[in-house]
Amino acid sequence: MSFVPTVDSPWANPYLIYAATIVGKIREAEGIDTYRLRFVDEQVRRRFRFAPGQFNMVYLFGVGEVAISIVSDPDEPQCLDHTIRVVGRVTKSIARLQQGDELGIRGPFGQGWPLDAAQGNDVVIVTGGLGCAPVVGAIEYIFRRRTQYGSVKILHGVKTPHDLLYRERFDAWRRHPDTEVLLTSDQPDKTWRYHIGVVTELFEQVRVDPARTIVLMCGPEIMMRLGVPILMQRGIPATAIYVSLERHMECGIGLCGHCQMGPYFLCKDGPVMRYDRVAPWLGQVGV
Ligand SMILES: Cc1cc2nc3c(=O)[nH]c(=O)nc-3n(C[C@H](O)[C@H](O)[C@H](O)COP(=O)(O)OP(=O)(O)OC[C@H]3O[C@@H](n4cnc5c(N)ncnc54)[C@H](O)[C@@H]3O)c2cc1C
Ligand code: FES
């Protein structure tokens, strides 16, 4: 599922960067903030559309550009949320910005989650760490259309309880009908009420009907490489498992080759890919 720029959209030129004001900044965890952005140009604000799982190139004037998933609800496109972890040069500089400052946005890019194909099926969502960011929009999308999907199981793992983002969202999601939310932490503290261990251990706690299950996965690639075989042992075919992948991105439109993975460019063929298509290249550098 993707939103493809068309000639009558403001995105006809994928190199154009649109200014957006930071209207809110929420501290999620140490070194991780969610920025709520509002396009300065009203036309752009009205016409911006995205699909869950797509990403924007977020530009800090005079510093550089980074690929960041869109976290917000696609049914409320006027609010554009990005959760950004401080990693290096650009993200460190973004972290210094405050409400009222401006960023540049280019996008949306890439293929999102297969939410049309998932209709009528059970959905299992498996995420680790900041990997929950690209699925937030998908979860909100499903819950706005709850009757069109079967059961929803959200399995999320963190290293420590301090790394748990979106606490209120997880609590709100578990209140939806036919929905399970299972959390785990590698290292617990005294406040942790959930499972202790890695996220793949949660698979044992959920029942799945392999014939009608679609899996959405995002997190460290090691989690996918270890987790997918367990799901397949339980009868879920590789063709029903979708993963969102990260590679260094520059152009965002399949021209520069930075994000190449085998025959694919993850900026335009991904970041969401069907597992069987990318399995040979997962975990390999420079392919
Ligand atoms: C499709 C896509 C979606 C993304 N969504 C998000 C998101 O929602 N939130 C978010 O915070 N980040 C996200 N990222 C990752 C983000 O793009 C990088 O963290 C960012 O480009 C780092 O840029 P920098 O200039 O701050 O760091 P750089 O100066 O480029 O890197 C500094 C150091 O960190 C290493 N590094 C760079 N990126 C990563 C990484 N992802 N993980 C670990 N080490 C890294 C580099 O190798 C280098 O050693 C996404 C990436 C992709 C491709
Ligand atoms: S980022 Fe340039 S080809 Fe994908």
Side-chain angles (χ1 to χ4, degrees), residues 54 71-72 109 116 136 152 155 173 187 243 245 268-269 278:
Q54 287 192 295
V71 176
S72 27
F109 294 120
D116 292 338
V136 168
V152 174
L155 318 183
W173 291 335
Q187 302 154 27
V243 293
L245 298 170
K268 73 175 177 64
D269 302 315
V278 289

Side-chain angles (χ1 to χ4, degrees), residues 66-69 83-85 87-91 130 246-247:
V66 286
I68 302 290
S69 305
T83 300
I84 304 182
R85 174 180 21 218
V87 172
R89 208 172 53 85
V90 178
T91 48
L130 190 53
E246 261 190 34
R247 286 292 181 277

Side-chain angles (χ1 to χ4, degrees), residues 31-33 53-57 63-71 82-94 109 130 133-134 166 244-249 259 266-267 270-271:
I32 304 180
D33 295 289
Q54 287 192 295
F55 67 95
N56 280 326
M57 295 302 289
V63 181
E65 211 181 25
V66 286
I68 302 290
S69 305
I70 305 173
V71 176
H82 285 294
T83 300
I84 304 182
R85 174 180 21 218
V86 173
V87 172
R89 208 172 53 85
V90 178
T91 48
K92 263 185 201 152
S93 303
I94 290 176
F109 294 120
L130 190 53
Y166 314 136
S244 181
L245 298 170
E246 261 190 34
R247 286 292 181 277
H248 179 70
M249 291 190 182
C259 67
L266 290 181
C267 64

Side-chain angles (χ1 to χ4, degrees), residues 23-43:
V23 293
K25 181 176 178 180
I26 299 166
R27 172 55 37 128
E28 301 282 2
E30 183 63 33
I32 304 180
D33 295 289
T34 295
Y35 299 80
R36 174 152 290 184
L37 304 175
R38 190 177 153 87
F39 286 110
V40 173
D41 184 328
E42 196 201 326
Q43 289 264 42

Side-chain angles (χ1 to χ4, degrees), residues 253-281:
I253 51 172
L255 291 180
C256 73
H258 277 92
C259 67
Q260 190 164 4
M261 189 181 211
Y264 302 110
F265 293 114
L266 290 181
C267 64
K268 73 175 177 64
D269 302 315
V272 175
M273 299 289 301
R274 217 174 69 189
Y275 181 77
D276 57 305
R277 297 194 171 131
V278 289
W281 299 284

Side-chain angles (χ1 to χ4, degrees), residues 12 37 135 138 170 175 188 195 201 208 214-215 241:
L37 304 175
V135 297
F170 283 108
R175 290 197 286 272
H195 186 79
E201 290 171 18
V208 289
I214 299 271
V215 179
I241 299 174

